[in-house]
Protein backbone atom coordinates (compact mmCIF):
# COMPACT_ATOMS: atom_id res chain seq x y z
CA UNK A 1 0.00 0.00 0.00
CA UNK A 2 1.34 3.43 -0.95
CA UNK A 3 2.03 5.95 1.81
CA UNK A 4 0.04 9.15 2.11
CA UNK A 5 3.17 11.31 1.80
CA UNK A 6 6.50 11.22 0.06
CA UNK A 7 8.96 13.73 1.51
CA UNK A 8 11.72 14.50 -0.98
CA UNK A 9 14.91 15.76 0.69
CA UNK A 10 17.63 17.26 -1.49
CA UNK A 11 21.14 17.54 -0.11
CA UNK A 12 24.65 18.65 -1.02
CA UNK A 13 27.52 17.74 1.34
CA UNK A 14 25.90 19.02 4.53
CA UNK A 15 25.81 15.93 6.71
CA UNK A 16 25.05 17.56 10.10
CA UNK A 17 22.23 19.67 8.66
CA UNK A 18 20.85 16.67 6.77
CA UNK A 19 20.88 14.66 10.00
CA UNK A 20 18.87 17.42 11.70
CA UNK A 21 16.31 17.43 8.87
CA UNK A 22 15.94 13.64 8.88
CA UNK A 23 15.70 13.52 12.68
CA UNK A 24 12.77 15.94 12.48
CA UNK A 25 11.03 13.55 10.08
CA UNK A 26 11.64 10.54 12.33
CA UNK A 27 10.02 12.53 15.16
CA UNK A 28 6.72 13.01 13.30
CA UNK A 29 3.58 12.01 15.20
CA UNK A 30 2.05 10.97 11.84
CA UNK A 31 4.07 8.14 10.31
CA UNK A 32 2.35 7.23 7.02
CA UNK A 33 5.12 8.59 4.82
CA UNK A 34 8.31 7.69 3.00
CA UNK A 35 11.48 9.75 2.70
CA UNK A 36 13.55 9.99 -0.47
CA UNK A 37 16.96 11.60 -0.02
CA UNK A 38 18.64 12.66 -3.26
CA UNK A 39 22.28 13.81 -3.02
CA UNK A 40 24.16 15.44 -5.89
CA UNK A 41 27.47 14.61 -4.15
CA UNK A 42 28.46 12.09 -1.53
CA UNK A 43 30.64 12.43 1.53
CA UNK A 44 30.97 10.58 4.83
CA UNK A 45 28.64 12.96 6.65
CA UNK A 46 25.83 12.44 4.14
CA UNK A 47 26.25 8.66 4.28
CA UNK A 48 26.29 8.67 8.08
CA UNK A 49 23.14 10.81 8.33
CA UNK A 50 21.24 8.51 5.97
CA UNK A 51 22.46 5.36 7.72
CA UNK A 52 21.38 6.70 11.10
CA UNK A 53 18.02 8.27 10.29
CA UNK A 54 16.47 6.56 7.26
CA UNK A 55 14.04 3.66 7.81
CA UNK A 56 13.64 0.50 5.70
CA UNK A 57 10.80 2.09 3.67
CA UNK A 58 12.92 5.15 2.82
CA UNK A 59 15.29 5.61 -0.11
CA UNK A 60 18.68 7.22 -0.62
CA UNK A 61 20.13 8.00 -4.04
CA UNK A 62 23.36 9.64 -5.08
CA UNK A 63 22.70 11.00 -8.55
CA UNK A 64 25.15 12.04 -11.25
CA UNK A 65 25.19 15.21 -13.34
CA UNK A 66 25.24 18.91 -12.58
CA UNK A 67 24.90 19.78 -8.89
CA UNK A 68 21.87 21.64 -7.65
CA UNK A 69 18.45 20.98 -6.11
CA UNK A 70 16.43 21.18 -9.34
CA UNK A 71 17.41 17.84 -10.86
CA UNK A 72 17.50 16.24 -7.41
CA UNK A 73 13.84 17.17 -6.92
CA UNK A 74 12.98 15.78 -10.35
CA UNK A 75 14.73 12.50 -9.57
CA UNK A 76 12.95 12.25 -6.22
CA UNK A 77 9.56 12.89 -7.81
CA UNK A 78 10.10 10.11 -10.35
CA UNK A 79 10.78 7.68 -7.49
CA UNK A 80 7.93 8.82 -5.25
CA UNK A 81 5.19 6.39 -4.22
CA UNK A 82 3.16 8.74 -2.02
CA UNK A 83 -0.24 10.15 -2.87
CA UNK A 84 0.97 13.59 -1.78
CA UNK A 85 4.42 15.11 -2.34
CA UNK A 86 6.33 17.39 0.03
CA UNK A 87 9.79 18.87 -0.43
CA UNK A 88 12.32 19.54 2.32
CA UNK A 89 15.72 21.18 1.87
CA UNK A 90 18.53 19.66 3.89
CA UNK A 91 18.91 22.72 6.13
CA UNK A 92 15.20 22.96 7.05
CA UNK A 93 13.07 20.89 9.44
CA UNK A 94 9.51 20.02 10.45
CA UNK A 95 7.88 20.36 13.84
CA UNK A 96 6.75 16.92 15.13
CA UNK A 97 3.10 17.78 14.35
CA UNK A 98 3.78 18.99 10.78
CA UNK A 99 2.70 15.93 8.79
CA UNK A 100 -0.27 15.39 11.11
CA UNK A 101 -1.41 18.93 10.25
CA UNK A 102 -1.05 18.23 6.54
CA UNK A 103 -2.95 14.95 6.91
CA UNK A 104 -5.80 16.72 8.71
CA UNK A 105 -5.91 19.40 6.01
CA UNK A 106 -6.05 16.74 3.30
CA UNK A 107 -8.92 15.06 5.13
CA UNK A 108 -10.76 18.38 5.29
CA UNK A 109 -9.85 20.00 1.95
CA UNK A 110 -7.87 17.58 -0.19
CA UNK A 111 -10.73 16.44 -2.39
CA UNK A 112 -11.33 19.99 -3.62
CA UNK A 113 -7.76 21.33 -3.46
CA UNK A 114 -4.82 19.34 -4.86
CA UNK A 115 -2.30 21.91 -3.60
CA UNK A 116 -2.21 22.92 0.07
CA UNK A 117 0.08 25.22 2.02
CA UNK A 118 0.41 26.33 5.60
CA UNK A 119 2.24 28.88 7.74
CA UNK A 120 5.87 28.60 8.72
CA UNK A 121 8.35 29.41 11.40
CA UNK A 122 11.67 31.01 10.53
CA UNK A 123 14.63 30.14 12.73
CA UNK A 124 17.57 32.53 12.44
CA UNK A 125 20.87 30.87 13.28
CA UNK A 126 24.58 31.24 12.81
CA UNK A 127 26.43 28.28 11.35
CA UNK A 128 30.14 27.65 11.74
CA UNK A 129 32.47 24.62 11.62
CA UNK A 130 31.96 24.21 15.37
CA UNK A 131 28.17 23.96 15.13
CA UNK A 132 24.91 25.90 14.85
CA UNK A 133 24.06 28.80 17.17
CA UNK A 134 20.35 29.57 17.62
CA UNK A 135 19.57 33.30 17.39
CA UNK A 136 15.81 33.79 17.28
CA UNK A 137 12.55 32.39 15.94
CA UNK A 138 9.57 34.09 14.30
CA UNK A 139 6.21 32.86 13.05
CA UNK A 140 5.27 33.87 9.49
CA UNK A 141 1.55 33.57 8.68
CA UNK A 142 0.82 33.25 4.96
CA UNK A 143 -2.97 33.08 4.74
CA UNK A 144 -3.46 36.84 4.53
CA UNK A 145 -1.26 37.32 1.44
CA UNK A 146 -3.20 37.44 -1.85
CA UNK A 147 -2.16 34.55 -4.07
CA UNK A 148 -1.66 36.93 -6.98
CA UNK A 149 1.46 38.15 -5.16
CA UNK A 150 3.11 34.87 -6.14
CA UNK A 151 3.22 36.25 -9.69
CA UNK A 152 5.37 39.15 -8.49
CA UNK A 153 7.70 37.41 -6.03
CA UNK A 154 7.51 34.04 -4.36
CA UNK A 155 6.21 34.20 -0.79
CA UNK A 156 5.42 30.47 -0.41
CA UNK A 157 8.57 28.43 0.37
CA UNK A 158 8.63 24.97 -1.19
CA UNK A 159 8.62 23.19 2.18
CA UNK A 160 5.25 24.61 3.28
CA UNK A 161 3.46 23.05 0.30
CA UNK A 162 1.88 19.64 -0.29
CA UNK A 163 1.01 18.57 -3.83
CA UNK A 164 -1.31 15.75 -4.80
CA UNK A 165 0.88 13.53 -6.97
CA UNK A 166 -1.52 13.66 -9.92
CA UNK A 167 -1.36 17.46 -10.21
CA UNK A 168 2.39 17.27 -10.85
CA UNK A 169 2.08 14.92 -13.83
CA UNK A 170 4.33 16.24 -16.61
CA UNK A 171 5.76 19.10 -14.51
CA UNK A 172 9.46 19.23 -13.66
CA UNK A 173 11.72 21.71 -11.93
CA UNK A 174 13.56 23.73 -14.59
CA UNK A 175 17.21 22.70 -14.40
CA UNK A 176 18.29 25.54 -16.69
CA UNK A 177 17.43 28.29 -14.23
CA UNK A 178 20.38 29.49 -12.17
CA UNK A 179 18.03 30.58 -9.37
CA UNK A 180 14.33 30.83 -8.48
CA UNK A 181 13.60 27.32 -9.77
CA UNK A 182 11.24 26.56 -6.86
CA UNK A 183 9.21 29.68 -7.69
CA UNK A 184 8.99 28.74 -11.37
CA UNK A 185 7.84 25.25 -10.34
CA UNK A 186 5.10 26.71 -8.12
CA UNK A 187 3.80 28.92 -10.93
CA UNK A 188 3.71 25.91 -13.26
CA UNK A 189 1.55 24.11 -10.70
CA UNK A 190 -0.63 27.20 -10.17
CA UNK A 191 -1.43 27.15 -13.89
CA UNK A 192 -3.33 23.93 -13.10
CA UNK A 193 -4.60 24.38 -9.54
CA UNK A 194 -5.01 27.20 -7.02
CA UNK A 195 -3.17 26.53 -3.75
CA UNK A 196 -5.37 26.54 -0.64
CA UNK A 197 -4.06 27.80 2.67
CA UNK A 198 -4.72 26.12 6.02
CA UNK A 199 -3.67 27.29 9.47
CA UNK A 200 -1.56 25.32 11.90
CA UNK A 201 1.96 25.45 10.52
CA UNK A 202 4.69 22.91 11.18
CA UNK A 203 7.40 23.62 8.58
CA UNK A 204 10.52 25.45 9.78
CA UNK A 205 12.83 27.40 7.49
CA UNK A 206 16.33 27.86 8.94
CA UNK A 207 18.18 30.99 7.84
CA UNK A 208 21.94 31.21 8.27
CA UNK A 209 22.91 34.73 9.32
CA UNK A 210 26.39 34.08 7.91
CA UNK A 211 25.01 33.21 4.47
CA UNK A 212 24.73 35.62 1.55
CA UNK A 213 21.34 37.20 0.95
CA UNK A 214 18.83 34.70 -0.41
CA UNK A 215 19.21 34.57 -4.15
CA UNK A 216 15.46 35.06 -4.73
CA UNK A 217 15.13 38.20 -2.62
CA UNK A 218 14.51 41.61 -4.16
CA UNK A 219 17.53 42.96 -2.28
CA UNK A 220 19.64 40.46 -4.22
CA UNK A 221 18.17 41.41 -7.57
CA UNK A 222 21.20 43.51 -8.54
CA UNK A 223 22.84 40.21 -9.44
CA UNK A 224 22.58 40.00 -13.23
CA UNK A 225 21.78 36.28 -13.24
CA UNK A 226 18.91 36.66 -10.78
CA UNK A 227 17.51 39.64 -12.71
CA UNK A 228 17.51 37.58 -15.90
CA UNK A 229 15.81 34.70 -14.09
CA UNK A 230 13.11 37.10 -12.86
CA UNK A 231 12.61 38.27 -16.43
CA UNK A 232 12.48 34.70 -17.71
CA UNK A 233 9.79 33.78 -15.17
CA UNK A 234 7.80 36.94 -15.84
CA UNK A 235 7.79 36.16 -19.56
CA UNK A 236 6.90 32.50 -19.02
CA UNK A 237 4.08 33.19 -16.56
CA UNK A 238 2.12 36.34 -17.53
CA UNK A 239 0.77 38.66 -14.85
CA UNK A 240 -2.83 37.88 -13.85
CA UNK A 241 -3.84 41.56 -13.87
CA UNK A 242 -2.54 45.09 -14.46
CA UNK A 243 -1.55 45.78 -10.85
CA UNK A 244 0.92 42.87 -10.84
CA UNK A 245 2.13 43.95 -14.28
CA UNK A 246 2.87 47.45 -12.93
CA UNK A 247 4.69 46.01 -9.92
CA UNK A 248 6.77 43.71 -12.11
CA UNK A 249 7.76 46.64 -14.28
CA UNK A 250 8.69 48.69 -11.21
CA UNK A 251 10.73 45.91 -9.61
CA UNK A 252 12.92 45.35 -12.66
CA UNK A 253 13.18 49.09 -13.34
CA UNK A 254 14.57 49.52 -9.80
CA UNK A 255 17.56 47.34 -10.76
CA UNK A 256 18.15 49.03 -14.10
CA UNK A 257 16.00 46.99 -16.48
CA UNK A 258 13.35 49.37 -17.89
CA UNK A 259 11.25 47.31 -20.30
CA UNK A 260 7.87 47.96 -21.92
CA UNK A 261 5.03 47.14 -19.55
CA UNK A 262 3.36 44.86 -22.08
CA UNK A 263 6.29 42.45 -21.62
CA UNK A 264 4.95 41.52 -18.21
Amino acid sequence: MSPLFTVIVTTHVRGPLLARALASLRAQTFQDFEVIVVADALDAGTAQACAEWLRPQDQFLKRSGKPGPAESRNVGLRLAKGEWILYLDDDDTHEPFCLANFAAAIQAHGQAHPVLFTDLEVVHERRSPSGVEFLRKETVPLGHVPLAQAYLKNFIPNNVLAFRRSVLEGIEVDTHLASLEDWDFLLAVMARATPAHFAGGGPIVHKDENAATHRGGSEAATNDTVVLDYLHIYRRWPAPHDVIREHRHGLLKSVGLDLPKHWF
Side-chain angles (χ1 to χ4, degrees), residues 50-242:
C50 291
E52 182 175 359
W53 292 108
L54 292 184
R55 306 157 301 169
Q57 66 266 42
D58 300 327
Q59 299 183 62
F60 168 69
L61 175 71
K62 190 278 174 186
R63 69 167 182 84
S64 59
K66 182 176 71 173
E71 182 57 23
S72 295
R73 291 175 188 148
N74 291 336
V75 169
L77 184 58
R78 290 194 286 269
L79 295 171
K81 301 183 182 75
E83 182 183 349
W84 288 77
I85 306 298
L86 293 89
Y87 294 96
L88 184 64
D89 292 340
D90 61 2
D91 59 343
D92 294 331
T93 59
H94 286 336
E95 294 277 19
F97 56 82
C98 182
L99 294 185
N101 274 359
F102 273 108
I106 289 169
Q107 182 71 21
H109 311 294
Q111 288 297 105
H113 299 288
V115 183
L116 298 169
F117 71 103
T118 190
D119 307 312
L120 72 148
E121 290 182 314
V122 178
V123 169
H124 297 267
E125 59 193 26
R126 184 174 293 112
R127 301 172 194 163
S128 69
S130 61
V132 177
E133 176 191 359
F134 173 84
L135 299 176
R136 65 189 183 279
K137 179 189 287 190
E138 60 182 314
T139 299
V140 181
L142 299 178
H144 67 287
V145 184
L147 278 174
Q149 286 296 111
Y151 287 88
L152 174 65
K153 179 182 175 184
N154 190 20
F155 69 93
I156 309 177
N158 69 338
N159 73 324
V160 307
L161 288 148
F163 306 92
R164 189 185 297 152
R165 180 68 178 82
S166 58
V167 83
L168 300 181
E169 192 66 38
I171 297 177
E172 289 196 333
V173 185
D174 190 338
T175 59
H176 298 98
L177 284 168
S179 64
L180 311 178
E181 69 285 336
D182 53 344
W183 179 25
D184 178 76
F185 180 78
L186 174 60
L187 292 179
V189 176
M190 287 177 63
R192 296 183 176 181
T194 301
H197 173 265
F198 69 95
I204 303 174
V205 171
H206 295 258
K207 289 188 176 293
D208 182 8
E209 295 294 317
N210 287 337
T213 302
H214 190 279
R215 61 182 179 171
S218 60
E219 63 271 24
T222 53
N223 178 279
D224 290 344
T225 299
V226 177
V227 171
L228 291 175
D229 285 343
Y230 263 91
L231 181 58
H232 176 83
I233 290 171
Y234 284 172
R235 293 288 286 167
R236 177 181 281 181
W237 308 110
H241 50 67
D242 286 341

Side-chain angles (χ1 to χ4, degrees), residues 148 151 233-234 237-246 248 263-264:
Y151 287 88
I233 290 171
Y234 284 172
W237 308 110
H241 50 67
D242 286 341
V243 173
I244 295 296
R245 189 172 294 109
E246 288 279 353
R248 285 179 166 189
W263 273 47
F264 304 103

